[in-house]
Amino acid sequence: MVKNKLSLSFVIRCILWLALSYSFVGLASFYEQNRIILHFAYALNTFLTANLLISIGRFLIVSLYNRKHANHDVRGNFVLGISRVARVLNAVMIVVTVMIALGIDPKEFITSMTIVAMAIAVIFREYITNMISGLLVMFSDQFSIGDHIKISNYQGKIVDITLANIVVRDEDDDVVLIPNNLIFTSTMVNKSSQKSNKLIVKFELPLEKPLEITSFENHLKPLLKVNSNIIWNDLFKIKVAEVGKDFVKYKIELTTISSSNKLHHQIQNEILNEMLLFRSRED
């Protein structure tokens, strides 16, 4: 469950907003004599008003969402998406605040910059579409932080979702940044969405040096039988999954005691190591 609390900084912002709002009445004559300070005070008050409303809105939405899913396995995408939207709105308000402080009317500025804005939108089209894709990803329930995914040539555990990228940590502990647009243009496999105790180990060998399946089965069976993490089945077989022009793909199906990705990787590595030892003995 994602924690959702109004922080001390929220209280401080409320006090500052109240003080500024009161100053417009109590210090009206001072502001009349110091127009520059009035612009800055009004700009800061505008930002604090918007910021507090955004914070309250985020707090209420996340609280309702958490309450609704109190008895369920809550995926953090929705909360993450709301937080990202709040940051974007705050960033927009910072720009508006700077305009007001400099004496620029935001409405007139936006109207006069329409053509420029269109040009900027064309130039940064990829980033904008990537950001929109990021928001769609955050508000979806297809995957979440902590899931193991495979997309294109990359696979690993999702450690963060930003407006630009999905941050994945692969098996080599390298951090891979996958653009959000790639999610909607490539085939993606979420290995955590439907956890199963079934484990399929695949490997590929050259066609000119195929595997002696029966011999390898006899070599592997005693090892798998005594493995406490595997539910043994006497019907165990090594199957040929595919035969290509210069390769043969093999498949081993097992049932484990847990659907843990860590356990599956461990068993898979053990089997592949045994296969390499078996091949070296053959040579």
Side-chain angles (χ1 to χ4, degrees), residues 242-255:
E242 182 183 350
V243 178
K245 183 179 179 181
D246 54 2
F247 66 87
V248 182
K249 289 185 178 181
Y250 300 89
K251 179 173 69 173
I252 299 174
E253 296 183 5
L254 298 169
T255 302

Side-chain angles (χ1 to χ4, degrees), residues 2-64:
V2 179
K3 292 183 178 179
N4 184 43
K5 297 181 179 179
L6 293 176
S7 62
L8 178 61
S9 66
F10 177 83
V11 177
I12 295 173
R13 280 176 281 158
C14 285
I15 295 172
L16 182 58
W17 176 78
L18 290 171
L20 270 174
S21 299
Y22 175 77
S23 72
F24 291 129
V25 178
L27 301 175
S29 58
F30 172 78
Y31 284 134
E32 284 295 329
Q33 296 173 4
N34 299 272
R35 304 297 296 180
I36 295 178
I37 296 178
L38 175 62
H39 279 303
F40 277 94
Y42 181 64
L44 181 58
N45 183 262
T46 301
F47 173 75
L48 286 173
T49 302
N51 179 262
L52 290 173
L53 290 174
I54 292 169
S55 297
I56 293 171
R58 177 194 174 279
F59 176 79
L60 291 175
I61 292 172
V62 173
S63 295
L64 290 172

Side-chain angles (χ1 to χ4, degrees), residues 32-260:
E32 284 295 329
Q33 296 173 4
N34 299 272
R35 304 297 296 180
I36 295 178
I37 296 178
L38 175 62
H39 279 303
F40 277 94
Y42 181 64
L44 181 58
N45 183 262
T46 301
F47 173 75
L48 286 173
T49 302
N51 179 262
L52 290 173
L53 290 174
I54 292 169
S55 297
I56 293 171
R58 177 194 174 279
F59 176 79
L60 291 175
I61 292 172
V62 173
S63 295
L64 290 172
Y65 178 80
N66 287 340
R67 183 177 300 177
K68 182 179 178 181
H69 297 82
N71 298 321
H72 300 81
D73 183 17
V74 178
R75 300 171 76 82
N77 288 28
F78 181 83
V79 177
L80 182 63
I82 291 296
S83 298
R84 300 295 192 210
V85 170
R87 288 185 183 180
V88 171
L89 292 176
N90 280 321
V92 172
M93 287 310 304
I94 289 174
V95 175
V96 173
T97 299
V98 173
M99 290 182 185
I100 295 174
L102 297 175
I104 301 172
D105 187 341
K107 292 182 181 178
E108 293 182 359
F109 180 80
I110 293 172
T111 302
S112 61
M113 293 291 289
T114 301
I115 297 177
V116 177
M118 291 176 63
I120 293 174
V122 172
I123 294 172
F124 294 98
R125 179 181 58 186
E126 289 297 324
Y127 181 79
I128 292 172
T129 56
N130 213 33
M131 184 174 69
I132 294 173
S133 298
L135 289 173
L136 292 175
V137 166
M138 291 174 196
F139 287 110
S140 73
D141 59 355
Q142 296 176 349
F143 55 87
S144 182
I145 293 176
D147 285 354
H148 287 260
I149 65 168
K150 179 179 180 182
I151 178 169
S152 188
N153 296 323
Y154 311 105
Q155 62 178 331
K157 179 182 179 180
I158 299 176
V159 295
D160 194 12
I161 302 174
T162 70
L163 291 174
N165 307 290
I166 293 178
V167 185
V168 173
R169 188 175 296 278
D170 64 15
E171 295 177 358
D172 297 324
D173 208 31
D174 295 326
V175 174
V176 182
L177 303 180
I178 303 176
N180 291 323
N181 285 338
L182 196 60
I183 298 296
F184 298 97
T185 57
S186 302
T187 301
M188 186 196 73
V189 178
N190 186 351
K191 297 183 177 181
S192 301
S193 60
Q194 293 182 344
K195 291 188 175 182
S196 171
N197 289 16
K198 185 177 180 180
L199 170 63
I200 299 178
V201 181
K202 296 180 180 180
F203 56 93
E204 179 181 311
L205 294 174
L207 184 61
E208 64 271 15
K209 291 185 178 181
L211 181 69
E212 288 290 339
I213 293 180
T214 303
S215 299
F216 186 50
E217 282 180 355
N218 294 333
H219 169 80
L220 203 57
K221 281 180 180 180
L223 301 175
L224 298 181
K225 280 184 178 181
V226 297
N227 192 320
S228 59
N229 294 317
I230 296 174
I231 300 175
W232 176 250
N233 187 335
D234 289 328
L235 299 177
F236 168 79
K237 291 287 183 181
I238 299 175
K239 301 176 183 178
V240 176
E242 182 183 350
V243 178
K245 183 179 179 181
D246 54 2
F247 66 87
V248 182
K249 289 185 178 181
Y250 300 89
K251 179 173 69 173
I252 299 174
E253 296 183 5
L254 298 169
T255 302
T256 61
I257 60 172
S258 167
S259 60
S260 166

